[in-house]
Amino acid sequence: MSYIVLWNSIAKRRRSISDTFYDNGLGTLKGYLEDKGHCVDVIDWARDDVFQAFSPLILAVIIRKFYSILMISKMKVVRKLLGAILLQMQEFLSAIQRRRLNKAIMRFAYELKKRQARILGIKLWYGDAFRNAKYLISIIKKIVPEIVLIAGGYHLTLYEEHLFQGTDFDLGVVGEAEYTLEKILNLADNYKDNWNKDRFLEEIISLAQDGEIENLLYHKNGKVFKTFRRPQSIRQSKSIPHYLIDKNKVRIHVIVESLGCDWGKCHFCVHSHFYPHYSLRDPEELIREIEAMLKIGIGIFRFAGSDTPPTFGMHIAEKIKERGLKIIYGMGSRPIKGARHQYDKLVTAYSTLIESGLRSVFMGGESGNDFINQEVMNKGVVFEDIVYTVKALRQAESKIGQKVYLSLALIYPAPLLGKITLNELRQDNIRLLDQTFPDSVMITPPGPFLHTEWYEQRDKFGFEVDENIIKKAMEYEYVLYKPPHLWPELGISLEGRPFKILLEECNEFRRQVEQELNIPTDLSDEHFLMFYAAGIRDRDEILKTKRDTMLDIVSCDYRLSRKIARKVNIFSYQLATGQRIVKDE
Ligand code: B12
Ligand code: SF4
């Protein structure tokens, strides 16, 4: 039996109210490795109390007050003055957060030394979280150099060998890591009483060279190597995550019902790189996992798949109903090609899903223009498909008499290839929103990410990117609320417009959607799931809560987000156990 510590990298401030969900990836690794007899500690700082502890509450409350005045003030001078003061205060807050986070990292390194940890796995996320992970490993190299450092998670799977440039990781594991970590820990069993990091690493590398360890990234003689990627297969074999219930995490379990995407060809998307094949989980297995979560007091779920096709979802929903399980959940649902011709079938599928607990849906629409969706996005669906899929969802909603919250995602602006104007694209998007009237629109600016067609064929799509774009993108902190002129330069331009202009165009469209169409923006299906559980269900309340939680994020006074999380936890517990009172664990 070997011991591994898994640490979740975090940014020094929250990015969203859903940041504190249980991390199912780390939970899965813990579940799998513990079932194999190893010992796993998950250290996850993405918790309500930890985020708050990084920011002095008094300062955060003052910042919040100033922002709320700024939001309603009509006088230009007052706005300018407040803007300048807030900028200084944010910088001061940032410096304090940095100091506190660095101190916590230092304490963590000493704790690892005390525990005599030999293997540390780090789950990487983009931006500030990645910078913090790099700081942690630089400290560990000084304080406990005998620890083997292993990187993993989506950020590593996307950037692979690029992550070894400028970081000191010993190893990386791409994609599903349970099987690779198991091999590494089995090997560590032989070094229990005679730990020797160099010899241990040499043995791993030699096994990797013999093709015995899959999904591994390692370096030798200054070069980075990748081993064969194990095809994922989750039909029967995904482990049930092990969680330690903690009142500072949100009682929502992200459940793997599928991995990858059944389409997988959108030109802007990286998912087929994360998961090269599309695989579905056996609904019976899912039910087993749902029942295990209900036993520990979790009754709210989010399906992890990029897309849960309604027909597959219906099988799961039927099983949930058969077993009489009382849960609520959210999921991703791709618009259906030819939705108009299978309309009745779709209404039936969505109705069954709603009856079994579906309350929120994320749908990628991308745009309301067919040329853009086909030639630029390669979305595989057109305007009519999106409209009829949403209609079917809405009809199912009224048939069952239960509201489902829909987040529709659009990319704006987009490469136009000289075929249409930006104004035409915007008009078509508005037409789409008029006909679908989603509960929220998630609007993102275009980005040519590594491993996407937009990146591979950047000239064709009109993108220009700096030479060191990969390094920059890995650390770039995407902060929605910051005015575009304060964003650091990213080194991307589209059809001659630099990224800051793209951000301004994107913000301008957001304003139009909010003010002219009166549709909230940037609320995802996870937000709606939380709001629903916390009793925030009607439009006005949702709009108000969106504004107020945005103030939480901007000011780092997270009291409202924490209050919502507490309500979600009570709801989730009551749903799972049928008991009315929740204990404060
Ligand atoms: C559900 C979801 C969420 C949920 C829950 C996340 C969770 N894992 O608990 C919520 C809403 C909270 C969320 C938040 C965020 N998410 Co999210 N999320 C997803 C989604 C839809 C599914 C993730 C999932 O459950 N996968 C299945 C699990 C089992 O996989 P996994 O966590 O990756 O774990 C496996 C491997 O990665 C690996 N592994 C995991 N950890 C470690 C650690 C080590 C040491 C090793 C070796 C291996 C390893 O082994 C695991 C088991 O097989 C994906 C998109 C998609 N469809 O895949 C986006 C996605 C992962 N999210 C993304 C992002 C950016 C975020 C945020 C940073 C967004 C933000 N707020 O700014 C936050 C970060 C949250 C945090 N803790 O800091 C990106 C990641 C892109 C990138 N370059 O990193 C994705 C890919 C979406 C996208 N934009 O394309 N997310
Ligand atoms: S954007 Fe969605 S539908 Fe398109 S390939 Fe990615 S996950 Fe699949």
Side-chain angles (χ1 to χ4, degrees):
M1 175 191 108
S2 289
Y3 174 52
I4 182 168
V5 178
L6 297 173
W7 183 73
N8 198 8
S9 64
I10 57 164
K12 56 189 182 303
R13 56 194 301 159
R14 294 180 82 131
R15 292 154 170 166
S16 153
I17 61 165
S18 63
D19 280 350
T20 49
F21 281 20
Y22 284 98
D23 192 296
N24 65 331
L26 291 173
T28 303
L29 296 180
K30 185 172 165 70
Y32 181 86
L33 296 170
E34 285 183 346
D35 290 347
K36 298 286 173 194
H38 295 294
C39 185
V40 184
D41 270 338
V42 169
I43 310 290
D44 186 358
W45 290 354
R47 295 157 38 126
D48 281 339
D49 56 340
V50 175
F51 277 121
Q52 193 64 79
F54 290 151
S55 308
L57 190 58
I58 296 183
L59 180 57
V61 170
I62 298 172
I63 293 181
R64 182 186 198 108
K65 192 81 211 152
F66 279 19
Y67 272 115
S68 31
I69 301 173
L70 185 74
M71 276 163 67
I72 50 167
S73 167
K74 297 259 181 312
M75 290 167 69
K76 225 174 165 183
V77 199
V78 177
R79 291 180 60 82
K80 222 174 164 179
L81 188 68
L82 274 179
I85 296 174
L86 276 168
L87 197 63
Q88 295 302 318
M89 288 176 103
Q90 285 286 12
E91 273 180 20
F92 182 49
L93 177 60
S94 244
I96 298 176
Q97 289 167 331
R98 164 76 39 232
R99 221 184 39 237
R100 291 187 177 183
L101 180 70
N102 287 356
K103 265 194 182 166
I105 283 178
M106 188 67 82
R107 278 197 302 273
F108 177 49
Y110 278 110
E111 180 61 31
L112 290 172
K113 189 180 173 81
K114 204 167 103 198
R115 289 189 200 181
Q116 297 191 333
R118 302 290 186 228
I119 304 176
L120 174 67
I122 298 183
K123 181 165 190 170
L124 295 175
W125 296 95
Y126 75 94
D128 190 37
F130 178 51
R131 281 199 294 269
N132 296 331
K134 287 209 300 191
Y135 180 70
L136 170 68
I137 63 172
S138 71
I139 295 296
I140 292 208
K141 288 275 168 182
K142 283 186 202 139
I143 296 176
V144 247
E146 64 275 20
I147 289 189
V148 170
L149 295 163
I150 308 177
Y154 280 97
H155 201 55
L156 172 96
T157 307
L158 181 60
Y159 290 105
E160 297 179 319
E161 65 274 17
H162 298 282
L163 265 156
F164 285 93
Q165 290 154 11
T167 69
D168 255 343
F169 281 106
D170 298 304
L171 301 168
V173 184
V174 299
E176 291 178 290
E178 38 274 57
Y179 315 101
T180 309
L181 287 182
E182 184 192 3
K183 285 188 181 158
I184 293 176
L185 292 188
N186 288 347
L187 202 68
D189 282 345
N190 307 333
Y191 288 78
K192 225 172 217 115
D193 305 313
N194 54 342
W195 180 250
N196 181 324
K197 176 177 169 177
D198 291 337
R199 249 195 305 126
F200 177 63
L201 280 175
E202 266 170 36
E203 201 176 336
I204 288 178
I205 290 173
S206 142
L207 284 174
Q209 282 170 331
D210 293 344
E212 298 212 10
I213 308 187
E214 296 148 328
N215 294 32
L216 192 73
L217 279 168
Y218 62 93
H219 47 95
K220 197 178 172 189
N221 305 330
K223 275 195 181 157
V224 183
F225 299 88
K226 264 191 272 189
T227 62
F228 176 74
R229 180 118 180 233
R230 183 183 198 275
Q232 90 261 357
S233 156
I234 52 165
R235 190 148 179 85
Q236 303 283 344
S237 64
K238 202 77 189 161
S239 284
I240 293 181
H242 288 183
Y243 295 138
L244 290 179
I245 292 297
D246 176 343
K247 67 179 179 191
N248 287 293
K249 297 291 279 181
V250 176
R251 278 179 187 262
I252 295 184
H253 170 52
V254 177
I255 186 163
V256 174
E257 81 333 321
S258 68
L259 286 180
C261 170
D262 48 345
W263 172 246
K265 294 181 208 160
C266 294
H267 284 159
F268 55 86
C269 179
V270 287
H271 282 99
S272 53
H273 180 77
F274 291 141
Y275 296 110
H277 319 282
Y278 179 54
S279 37
L280 298 173
R281 189 117 175 252
D282 178 354
E284 272 301 329
E285 278 289 295
L286 267 183
I287 297 295
R288 205 165 65 84
E289 185 161 322
I290 291 175
E291 285 175 340
M293 291 299 140
L294 291 174
K295 278 199 191 118
I296 59 167
I298 297 179
I300 310 179
F301 298 82
R302 203 279 179 191
F303 291 178
S306 305
D307 173 34
T308 309
T311 38
F312 171 58
M314 198 167 92
H315 291 312
I316 303 171
E318 278 163 351
K319 293 248 179 270
I320 295 173
K321 282 172 61 189
E322 262 166 47
R323 302 284 168 102
L325 302 178
K326 296 271 172 291
I327 62 168
I328 63 160
Y329 60 94
M331 69 180 206
S333 187
R334 208 177 109 72
I336 305 292
K337 186 157 185 54
R340 185 181 193 158
H341 309 292
Q342 359 172 354
Y343 187 76
D344 292 341
K345 219 169 100 192
L346 265 181
V347 175
T348 308
Y350 279 131
S351 301
T352 317
L353 282 156
I354 298 171
E355 280 175 326
S356 72
L358 178 69
R359 295 294 176 268
S360 65
V361 168
F362 173 88
M363 193 177 286
E366 315 325 338
S367 95
N369 180 283
D370 285 351
F371 167 77
I372 296 291
N373 268 17
Q374 283 175 305
E375 301 302 318
V376 174
M377 311 279 186
N378 199 31
K379 189 73 194 167
V381 293
V382 291
F383 190 95
E384 185 185 270
D385 299 325
I386 306 173
V387 169
Y388 274 87
T389 308
V390 175
K391 269 193 180 159
L393 178 68
R394 292 303 188 208
Q395 184 163 343
E397 197 181 64
S398 41
K399 186 171 146 198
I400 305 301
Q402 173 64 58
K403 169 90 187 140
V404 176
Y405 296 87
L406 171 69
S407 284
L408 186 71
L410 299 179
I411 298 181
Y412 184 89
L416 303 170
L417 310 184
K419 293 287 194 307
I420 65 163
T421 65
L422 199 54
N423 196 36
E424 282 166 338
L425 176 59
R426 196 202 280 233
Q427 293 309 322
D428 286 339
N429 286 351
I430 300 230
R431 209 161 46 86
L432 179 70
L433 298 181
D434 269 340
Q435 294 197 26
T436 49
F437 207 70
D439 299 283
S440 156
V441 192
M442 315 264 304
I443 308 169
T444 1
F449 285 103
L450 187 65
H451 301 301
T452 63
E453 277 309 299
W454 279 5
Y455 181 82
E456 300 301 333
Q457 300 195 54
R458 42 197 181 277
D459 290 347
K460 173 180 161 191
F461 290 107
F463 287 106
E464 261 189 68
V465 299
D466 275 10
E467 246 173 58
N468 57 354
I469 186 64
I470 294 173
K471 189 173 180 302
K472 267 195 185 163
M474 280 193 286
E475 296 197 0
Y476 199 75
E477 186 65 25
Y478 184 89
V479 194
L480 266 186
Y481 57 80
K482 249 193 200 173
H485 69 274
L486 293 178
W487 286 51
E489 220 18 274
L490 179 57
I492 290 178
S493 66
L494 171 62
E495 297 176 334
R497 282 127 57 226
F499 195 63
K500 282 188 188 191
I501 301 288
L502 304 179
L503 283 173
E504 270 164 21
E505 290 169 351
C506 181
N507 277 355
E508 185 45 42
F509 181 50
R510 255 192 214 119
R511 262 194 299 276
Q512 188 177 7
V513 171
E514 281 182 356
Q515 289 166 11
E516 291 175 22
L517 304 185
N518 201 19
I519 305 177
T521 58
D522 303 312
L523 288 174
S524 68
D525 61 297
E526 294 103 10
H527 294 132
F528 281 122
L529 210 50
M530 288 182 78
F531 288 177
Y532 180 88
I536 302 158
R537 296 182 189 177
D538 74 45
R539 237 182 114 65
D540 290 343
E541 262 183 304
I542 289 172
L543 277 167
K544 182 174 180 323
T545 312
K546 193 229 148 168
R547 270 194 310 270
D548 292 348
T549 48
M550 189 54 154
L551 275 177
D552 269 39
I553 305 289
V554 179
S555 66
C556 300
D557 162 12
Y558 304 125
R559 283 174 300 166
L560 176 63
S561 313
R562 297 182 74 175
K563 197 167 150 196
I564 293 173
R566 276 197 296 275
K567 285 189 180 170
V568 174
N569 285 353
I570 292 174
F571 184 91
S572 181
Y573 183 83
Q574 287 177 347
L575 202 58
T577 61
Q579 291 172 25
R580 285 210 57 78
I581 297 164
V582 66
K583 282 197 292 250
D584 215 3
E585 310 89 337

